[in-house]
Amino acid sequence: MPEISIVIPIYNESLNISALHSRLDSVMQKMEVSYEMIFVNDGSKDDSIELIKKLSVQYSAIKYIDLSRNFGHQIAVSAGLDRAEGEKIVIIDADLQDPPELIMDLYAKMKEGYEVVYAKRKRRKGESFLKLLTAKAFYRILANITTIDIPVDTGDFRLMDKKVVQALRQMPETHKFLRGQISWVGYRQTFVEYERNERNAGKTGYTYRKMLKFALDGITAFSNFPIKLVTVMGFVVSFFAFLMIVYTVYVKYFTNQEIEKGWTSIIVGILFLGGVQLISIGILGEYISRINTDVRKRPLYFIKETNIS
Ligand code: UDP
Ligand code: MG
């Protein structure tokens, strides 16, 4: 059994693979630990898998899992975690935004008696203003509406004890939000700060659409706050509706006021209620659609080819 397993999700990273491998390799040499690298090819459209296979012939520490199609970052990482055999497991991005050298610090910190040491971003370089803003807002909102402590400004770059990974393997949900699941598992957790670099080469696999889906996965998996919000909205709207009802009945039966001029108030009322109702149905829909995919109990991923026996 190696001391450290390094799990690396790969989606169109052919320009980064050899640089990543050599930096990881020299870090591991310096640390003098036994290790394995598990490259999980998540349906890349470039020649990533050919490069990885070539490396795996040269170096016995290199394992690969070639998934049957693109399943998304979180599932690719989960596939790697399922097969990792090390005493401790690292999750790291392939694009060198997570500096491999930091693994030494994570490892040293873990020796002080922790089961999870995550890497917290002090600064993020080379990312668009909108991405920084949405990421920052998302982490703050999530921290406020969940009952567990999901650390802010933290990705999946971290070192975990195999106890934690064994716990993760027992959590079969399809809509993975690993950083939340890992907080939920518990044990002693801490962090090390670092500066996040720019992508080494190539371009991001996370479109805004994928980011939005990921954010909703995180919220729905760890909070019922949006549903409670619907209930609160219902009560607030009903309260004002009740006042209006009393008022209109009063005007009709107890005064001589003309009531032909109701056009504006009717339009406002109908549109307002329509909007509130559609938002509420949408919120419920987000939860129900996730229940729907979870009850099918399909396997999380399929493997086309692997050199792990
Ligand atoms: N990735 C993946 N599947 C995907 C998208 C991304 O396995 O569908 C991998 C990607 O190769 C990288 C990591 O997930 O190793 C983080 O992705 P990326 O750098 O594109 O995201 P960003 O850093 O821009 O949020
Ligand atoms: Mg990246």
Side-chain angles (χ1 to χ4, degrees), residues 9-11 13 42 70 72-73 76 93-95 97 127 131 196 199 203-206 210:
I10 300 285
Y11 181 64
E13 302 282 7
D42 187 18
N70 178 256
H73 170 239
D93 282 358
D95 57 3
Q97 283 195 291
E127 285 180 293
K131 178 148 189 169
R196 190 162 169 84
R199 199 169 228 289
K203 61 177 198 290
T204 175
Y206 260 98
K210 280 192 193 172

PDB file of all heavy atoms in Angstrom, residues 9-11 13 42 70 72-73 76 93-95 97 127 131 196 199 203-206 210, ligand 1:
ATOM      1  N   PRO A   9      -8.369  14.486 -11.626  1.00  0.00           N
ATOM      2  CA  PRO A   9      -9.375  14.432 -12.690  1.00  0.00           C
ATOM      3  C   PRO A   9      -8.850  15.125 -13.943  1.00  0.00           C
ATOM      4  O   PRO A   9      -8.210  16.171 -13.850  1.00  0.00           O
ATOM      5  CB  PRO A   9     -10.549  15.209 -12.095  1.00  0.00           C
ATOM      6  CG  PRO A   9      -9.916  16.183 -11.166  1.00  0.00           C
ATOM      7  CD  PRO A   9      -8.676  15.527 -10.630  1.00  0.00           C
ATOM      8  N   ILE A  10      -9.113  14.536 -15.089  1.00  0.00           N
ATOM      9  CA  ILE A  10      -8.535  15.053 -16.337  1.00  0.00           C
ATOM     10  C   ILE A  10      -9.622  15.286 -17.379  1.00  0.00           C
ATOM     11  O   ILE A  10     -10.326  14.354 -17.776  1.00  0.00           O
ATOM     12  CB  ILE A  10      -7.539  14.025 -16.928  1.00  0.00           C
ATOM     13  CG1 ILE A  10      -6.397  13.739 -15.958  1.00  0.00           C
ATOM     14  CG2 ILE A  10      -7.018  14.504 -18.282  1.00  0.00           C
ATOM     15  CD1 ILE A  10      -5.375  14.815 -15.864  1.00  0.00           C
ATOM     16  N   TYR A  11      -9.768  16.525 -17.794  1.00  0.00           N
ATOM     17  CA  TYR A  11     -10.651  16.813 -18.925  1.00  0.00           C
ATOM     18  C   TYR A  11      -9.919  17.763 -19.870  1.00  0.00           C
ATOM     19  O   TYR A  11      -9.721  18.932 -19.538  1.00  0.00           O
ATOM     20  CB  TYR A  11     -11.962  17.431 -18.421  1.00  0.00           C
ATOM     21  CG  TYR A  11     -12.947  17.736 -19.515  1.00  0.00           C
ATOM     22  CD1 TYR A  11     -13.485  16.705 -20.284  1.00  0.00           C
ATOM     23  CD2 TYR A  11     -13.326  19.038 -19.784  1.00  0.00           C
ATOM     24  CE1 TYR A  11     -14.385  16.974 -21.296  1.00  0.00           C
ATOM     25  CE2 TYR A  11     -14.237  19.323 -20.791  1.00  0.00           C
ATOM     26  CZ  TYR A  11     -14.752  18.287 -21.544  1.00  0.00           C
ATOM     27  OH  TYR A  11     -15.639  18.561 -22.549  1.00  0.00           O
ATOM     28  N   GLU A  13      -6.614  17.967 -20.774  1.00  0.00           N
ATOM     29  CA  GLU A  13      -5.458  18.569 -20.101  1.00  0.00           C
ATOM     30  C   GLU A  13      -4.141  18.137 -20.736  1.00  0.00           C
ATOM     31  O   GLU A  13      -3.104  18.144 -20.064  1.00  0.00           O
ATOM     32  CB  GLU A  13      -5.450  18.194 -18.612  1.00  0.00           C
ATOM     33  CG  GLU A  13      -6.686  18.591 -17.825  1.00  0.00           C
ATOM     34  CD  GLU A  13      -6.718  20.076 -17.456  1.00  0.00           C
ATOM     35  OE1 GLU A  13      -5.852  20.840 -17.929  1.00  0.00           O
ATOM     36  OE2 GLU A  13      -7.620  20.457 -16.696  1.00  0.00           O
ATOM     37  N   ASP A  42     -11.811  11.978 -17.769  1.00  0.00           N
ATOM     38  CA  ASP A  42     -13.254  12.210 -17.747  1.00  0.00           C
ATOM     39  C   ASP A  42     -13.755  12.527 -19.162  1.00  0.00           C
ATOM     40  O   ASP A  42     -14.245  13.614 -19.432  1.00  0.00           O
ATOM     41  CB  ASP A  42     -13.531  13.377 -16.790  1.00  0.00           C
ATOM     42  CG  ASP A  42     -15.013  13.592 -16.554  1.00  0.00           C
ATOM     43  OD1 ASP A  42     -15.799  12.680 -16.835  1.00  0.00           O
ATOM     44  OD2 ASP A  42     -15.372  14.700 -16.097  1.00  0.00           O
ATOM     45  N   ASN A  70     -17.807  11.832 -20.502  1.00  0.00           N
ATOM     46  CA  ASN A  70     -17.629  12.931 -19.547  1.00  0.00           C
ATOM     47  C   ASN A  70     -18.734  12.889 -18.489  1.00  0.00           C
ATOM     48  O   ASN A  70     -19.907  13.026 -18.806  1.00  0.00           O
ATOM     49  CB  ASN A  70     -17.638  14.273 -20.299  1.00  0.00           C
ATOM     50  CG  ASN A  70     -17.502  15.452 -19.360  1.00  0.00           C
ATOM     51  OD1 ASN A  70     -18.471  16.140 -19.071  1.00  0.00           O
ATOM     52  ND2 ASN A  70     -16.322  15.682 -18.845  1.00  0.00           N
ATOM     53  N   GLY A  72     -18.291  14.665 -15.485  1.00  0.00           N
ATOM     54  CA  GLY A  72     -18.149  15.862 -14.651  1.00  0.00           C
ATOM     55  C   GLY A  72     -17.085  15.677 -13.587  1.00  0.00           C
ATOM     56  O   GLY A  72     -16.807  14.559 -13.137  1.00  0.00           O
ATOM     57  N   HIS A  73     -16.511  16.794 -13.195  1.00  0.00           N
ATOM     58  CA  HIS A  73     -15.383  16.831 -12.269  1.00  0.00           C
ATOM     59  C   HIS A  73     -15.602  16.029 -10.984  1.00  0.00           C
ATOM     60  O   HIS A  73     -14.786  15.198 -10.603  1.00  0.00           O
ATOM     61  CB  HIS A  73     -15.096  18.310 -11.969  1.00  0.00           C
ATOM     62  CG  HIS A  73     -14.137  18.539 -10.868  1.00  0.00           C
ATOM     63  ND1 HIS A  73     -14.473  19.261  -9.746  1.00  0.00           N
ATOM     64  CD2 HIS A  73     -12.865  18.138 -10.695  1.00  0.00           C
ATOM     65  CE1 HIS A  73     -13.429  19.291  -8.943  1.00  0.00           C
ATOM     66  NE2 HIS A  73     -12.444  18.631  -9.493  1.00  0.00           N
ATOM     67  N   ALA A  76     -15.636  12.320 -11.570  1.00  0.00           N
ATOM     68  CA  ALA A  76     -14.294  11.848 -11.931  1.00  0.00           C
ATOM     69  C   ALA A  76     -13.444  11.690 -10.664  1.00  0.00           C
ATOM     70  O   ALA A  76     -12.767  10.670 -10.474  1.00  0.00           O
ATOM     71  CB  ALA A  76     -13.638  12.825 -12.901  1.00  0.00           C
ATOM     72  N   ASP A  93      -6.176  19.399  -8.846  1.00  0.00           N
ATOM     73  CA  ASP A  93      -6.529  19.696 -10.236  1.00  0.00           C
ATOM     74  C   ASP A  93      -5.324  19.467 -11.138  1.00  0.00           C
ATOM     75  O   ASP A  93      -4.185  19.599 -10.702  1.00  0.00           O
ATOM     76  CB  ASP A  93      -6.970  21.160 -10.383  1.00  0.00           C
ATOM     77  CG  ASP A  93      -8.394  21.387  -9.912  1.00  0.00           C
ATOM     78  OD1 ASP A  93      -9.050  20.401  -9.514  1.00  0.00           O
ATOM     79  OD2 ASP A  93      -8.839  22.553  -9.950  1.00  0.00           O
ATOM     80  N   ALA A  94      -5.611  19.189 -12.395  1.00  0.00           N
ATOM     81  CA  ALA A  94      -4.530  18.873 -13.332  1.00  0.00           C
ATOM     82  C   ALA A  94      -3.886  20.112 -13.934  1.00  0.00           C
ATOM     83  O   ALA A  94      -2.831  20.044 -14.536  1.00  0.00           O
ATOM     84  CB  ALA A  94      -5.071  17.985 -14.441  1.00  0.00           C
ATOM     85  N   ASP A  95      -4.523  21.282 -13.781  1.00  0.00           N
ATOM     86  CA  ASP A  95      -4.067  22.455 -14.524  1.00  0.00           C
ATOM     87  C   ASP A  95      -3.015  23.278 -13.777  1.00  0.00           C
ATOM     88  O   ASP A  95      -2.690  24.384 -14.190  1.00  0.00           O
ATOM     89  CB  ASP A  95      -5.261  23.338 -14.900  1.00  0.00           C
ATOM     90  CG  ASP A  95      -6.055  23.772 -13.686  1.00  0.00           C
ATOM     91  OD1 ASP A  95      -5.648  23.431 -12.553  1.00  0.00           O
ATOM     92  OD2 ASP A  95      -7.084  24.442 -13.860  1.00  0.00           O
ATOM     93  N   GLN A  97      -3.240  24.832 -11.105  1.00  0.00           N
ATOM     94  CA  GLN A  97      -3.745  25.939 -10.275  1.00  0.00           C
ATOM     95  C   GLN A  97      -3.512  25.631  -8.804  1.00  0.00           C
ATOM     96  O   GLN A  97      -3.335  26.526  -7.992  1.00  0.00           O
ATOM     97  CB  GLN A  97      -5.239  26.154 -10.533  1.00  0.00           C
ATOM     98  CG  GLN A  97      -5.525  26.869 -11.825  1.00  0.00           C
ATOM     99  CD  GLN A  97      -6.950  27.376 -11.886  1.00  0.00           C
ATOM    100  OE1 GLN A  97      -7.879  26.583 -11.978  1.00  0.00           O
ATOM    101  NE2 GLN A  97      -7.122  28.675 -11.817  1.00  0.00           N
ATOM    102  N   GLU A 127      -8.230  34.920 -12.813  1.00  0.00           N
ATOM    103  CA  GLU A 127      -9.582  34.464 -13.108  1.00  0.00           C
ATOM    104  C   GLU A 127     -10.470  35.683 -13.303  1.00  0.00           C
ATOM    105  O   GLU A 127     -10.216  36.743 -12.754  1.00  0.00           O
ATOM    106  CB  GLU A 127     -10.083  33.528 -12.020  1.00  0.00           C
ATOM    107  CG  GLU A 127      -9.426  32.170 -12.161  1.00  0.00           C
ATOM    108  CD  GLU A 127      -9.857  31.146 -11.129  1.00  0.00           C
ATOM    109  OE1 GLU A 127      -9.541  31.317  -9.954  1.00  0.00           O
ATOM    110  OE2 GLU A 127     -10.515  30.186 -11.521  1.00  0.00           O
ATOM    111  N   LYS A 131     -16.154  35.480 -12.299  1.00  0.00           N
ATOM    112  CA  LYS A 131     -15.959  34.188 -11.643  1.00  0.00           C
ATOM    113  C   LYS A 131     -15.597  34.384 -10.165  1.00  0.00           C
ATOM    114  O   LYS A 131     -16.121  33.701  -9.290  1.00  0.00           O
ATOM    115  CB  LYS A 131     -14.873  33.384 -12.354  1.00  0.00           C
ATOM    116  CG  LYS A 131     -14.601  32.056 -11.685  1.00  0.00           C
ATOM    117  CD  LYS A 131     -14.190  30.989 -12.663  1.00  0.00           C
ATOM    118  CE  LYS A 131     -14.147  29.635 -11.967  1.00  0.00           C
ATOM    119  NZ  LYS A 131     -14.010  28.522 -12.880  1.00  0.00           N
ATOM    120  N   ARG A 196      -3.663  30.893  -5.128  1.00  0.00           N
ATOM    121  CA  ARG A 196      -4.047  30.076  -6.270  1.00  0.00           C
ATOM    122  C   ARG A 196      -3.486  30.672  -7.551  1.00  0.00           C
ATOM    123  O   ARG A 196      -3.642  31.858  -7.809  1.00  0.00           O
ATOM    124  CB  ARG A 196      -5.566  30.001  -6.355  1.00  0.00           C
ATOM    125  CG  ARG A 196      -6.076  28.995  -7.364  1.00  0.00           C
ATOM    126  CD  ARG A 196      -7.514  28.681  -7.049  1.00  0.00           C
ATOM    127  NE  ARG A 196      -8.185  27.933  -8.079  1.00  0.00           N
ATOM    128  CZ  ARG A 196      -8.136  26.609  -8.203  1.00  0.00           C
ATOM    129  NH1 ARG A 196      -7.411  25.900  -7.377  1.00  0.00           N
ATOM    130  NH2 ARG A 196      -8.812  26.011  -9.157  1.00  0.00           N
ATOM    131  N   ARG A 199      -4.221  29.096 -14.477  1.00  0.00           N
ATOM    132  CA  ARG A 199      -4.157  27.848 -15.216  1.00  0.00           C
ATOM    133  C   ARG A 199      -2.844  27.809 -16.008  1.00  0.00           C
ATOM    134  O   ARG A 199      -2.468  28.785 -16.638  1.00  0.00           O
ATOM    135  CB  ARG A 199      -5.347  27.853 -16.169  1.00  0.00           C
ATOM    136  CG  ARG A 199      -5.723  26.533 -16.671  1.00  0.00           C
ATOM    137  CD  ARG A 199      -7.071  26.657 -17.371  1.00  0.00           C
ATOM    138  NE  ARG A 199      -7.919  25.588 -16.891  1.00  0.00           N
ATOM    139  CZ  ARG A 199      -7.711  24.315 -17.232  1.00  0.00           C
ATOM    140  NH1 ARG A 199      -6.750  23.992 -18.046  1.00  0.00           N
ATOM    141  NH2 ARG A 199      -8.484  23.375 -16.740  1.00  0.00           N
ATOM    142  N   LYS A 203      -7.835  25.569 -21.456  1.00  0.00           N
ATOM    143  CA  LYS A 203      -8.877  26.414 -20.878  1.00  0.00           C
ATOM    144  C   LYS A 203      -9.807  25.666 -19.933  1.00  0.00           C
ATOM    145  O   LYS A 203      -9.842  24.445 -19.926  1.00  0.00           O
ATOM    146  CB  LYS A 203      -9.650  27.149 -21.977  1.00  0.00           C
ATOM    147  CG  LYS A 203     -10.374  26.288 -22.966  1.00  0.00           C
ATOM    148  CD  LYS A 203     -11.118  27.239 -23.913  1.00  0.00           C
ATOM    149  CE  LYS A 203     -12.216  26.564 -24.692  1.00  0.00           C
ATOM    150  NZ  LYS A 203     -11.825  25.624 -25.715  1.00  0.00           N
ATOM    151  N   THR A 204     -10.512  26.442 -19.136  1.00  0.00           N
ATOM    152  CA  THR A 204     -11.323  25.848 -18.067  1.00  0.00           C
ATOM    153  C   THR A 204     -12.410  24.920 -18.615  1.00  0.00           C
ATOM    154  O   THR A 204     -12.989  25.187 -19.661  1.00  0.00           O
ATOM    155  CB  THR A 204     -11.969  26.940 -17.193  1.00  0.00           C
ATOM    156  OG1 THR A 204     -12.830  26.306 -16.244  1.00  0.00           O
ATOM    157  CG2 THR A 204     -12.787  27.917 -18.020  1.00  0.00           C
ATOM    158  N   GLY A 205     -12.656  23.845 -17.879  1.00  0.00           N
ATOM    159  CA  GLY A 205     -13.723  22.927 -18.263  1.00  0.00           C
ATOM    160  C   GLY A 205     -15.017  23.296 -17.557  1.00  0.00           C
ATOM    161  O   GLY A 205     -16.052  22.675 -17.789  1.00  0.00           O
ATOM    162  N   TYR A 206     -14.948  24.302 -16.678  1.00  0.00           N
ATOM    163  CA  TYR A 206     -16.135  24.709 -15.937  1.00  0.00           C
ATOM    164  C   TYR A 206     -16.797  25.913 -16.604  1.00  0.00           C
ATOM    165  O   TYR A 206     -16.365  27.044 -16.437  1.00  0.00           O
ATOM    166  CB  TYR A 206     -15.770  25.080 -14.494  1.00  0.00           C
ATOM    167  CG  TYR A 206     -16.056  23.968 -13.511  1.00  0.00           C
ATOM    168  CD1 TYR A 206     -15.051  23.108 -13.091  1.00  0.00           C
ATOM    169  CD2 TYR A 206     -17.336  23.765 -13.034  1.00  0.00           C
ATOM    170  CE1 TYR A 206     -15.310  22.079 -12.204  1.00  0.00           C
ATOM    171  CE2 TYR A 206     -17.603  22.741 -12.142  1.00  0.00           C
ATOM    172  CZ  TYR A 206     -16.591  21.905 -11.726  1.00  0.00           C
ATOM    173  OH  TYR A 206     -16.852  20.894 -10.851  1.00  0.00           O
ATOM    174  N   LYS A 210     -22.166  24.874 -15.890  1.00  0.00           N
ATOM    175  CA  LYS A 210     -21.730  23.824 -14.961  1.00  0.00           C
ATOM    176  C   LYS A 210     -21.580  24.376 -13.543  1.00  0.00           C
ATOM    177  O   LYS A 210     -21.899  23.698 -12.564  1.00  0.00           O
ATOM    178  CB  LYS A 210     -20.386  23.239 -15.412  1.00  0.00           C
ATOM    179  CG  LYS A 210     -20.491  22.218 -16.532  1.00  0.00           C
ATOM    180  CD  LYS A 210     -19.143  21.495 -16.701  1.00  0.00           C
ATOM    181  CE  LYS A 210     -19.105  20.699 -17.999  1.00  0.00           C
ATOM    182  NZ  LYS A 210     -17.758  20.148 -18.267  1.00  0.00           N
TER     183      LYS A 210
HETATM  184  N1  UDP B   1     -12.480  18.429 -15.015  1.00  0.00           N
HETATM  185  C1  UDP B   1     -13.053  17.168 -15.174  1.00  0.00           C
HETATM  186  N2  UDP B   1     -14.285  17.070 -15.792  1.00  0.00           N
HETATM  187  C2  UDP B   1     -14.963  18.173 -16.248  1.00  0.00           C
HETATM  188  C3  UDP B   1     -14.384  19.466 -16.043  1.00  0.00           C
HETATM  189  C4  UDP B   1     -13.151  19.550 -15.426  1.00  0.00           C
HETATM  190  O1  UDP B   1     -12.482  16.161 -14.788  1.00  0.00           O
HETATM  191  O2  UDP B   1     -16.048  18.009 -16.813  1.00  0.00           O
HETATM  192  C5  UDP B   1     -11.160  18.534 -14.324  1.00  0.00           C
HETATM  193  C6  UDP B   1     -10.119  19.388 -15.026  1.00  0.00           C
HETATM  194  O3  UDP B   1      -9.352  18.631 -15.945  1.00  0.00           O
HETATM  195  C7  UDP B   1      -9.280  19.889 -13.880  1.00  0.00           C
HETATM  196  C8  UDP B   1     -10.289  20.014 -12.733  1.00  0.00           C
HETATM  197  O4  UDP B   1     -11.382  19.184 -13.088  1.00  0.00           O
HETATM  198  O5  UDP B   1      -8.287  18.959 -13.500  1.00  0.00           O
HETATM  199  C9  UDP B   1     -10.745  21.461 -12.523  1.00  0.00           C
HETATM  200  O6  UDP B   1     -11.309  21.954 -13.709  1.00  0.00           O
HETATM  201  P1  UDP B   1     -11.009  23.406 -14.286  1.00  0.00           P
HETATM  202  O7  UDP B   1      -9.589  23.780 -14.073  1.00  0.00           O
HETATM  203  O8  UDP B   1     -11.495  23.404 -15.707  1.00  0.00           O
HETATM  204  O9  UDP B   1     -11.964  24.313 -13.396  1.00  0.00           O
HETATM  205  P2  UDP B   1     -11.646  25.754 -12.768  1.00  0.00           P
HETATM  206  O10 UDP B   1     -10.316  25.668 -12.106  1.00  0.00           O
HETATM  207  O11 UDP B   1     -11.655  26.687 -13.915  1.00  0.00           O
HETATM  208  O12 UDP B   1     -12.776  25.978 -11.813  1.00  0.00           O
END
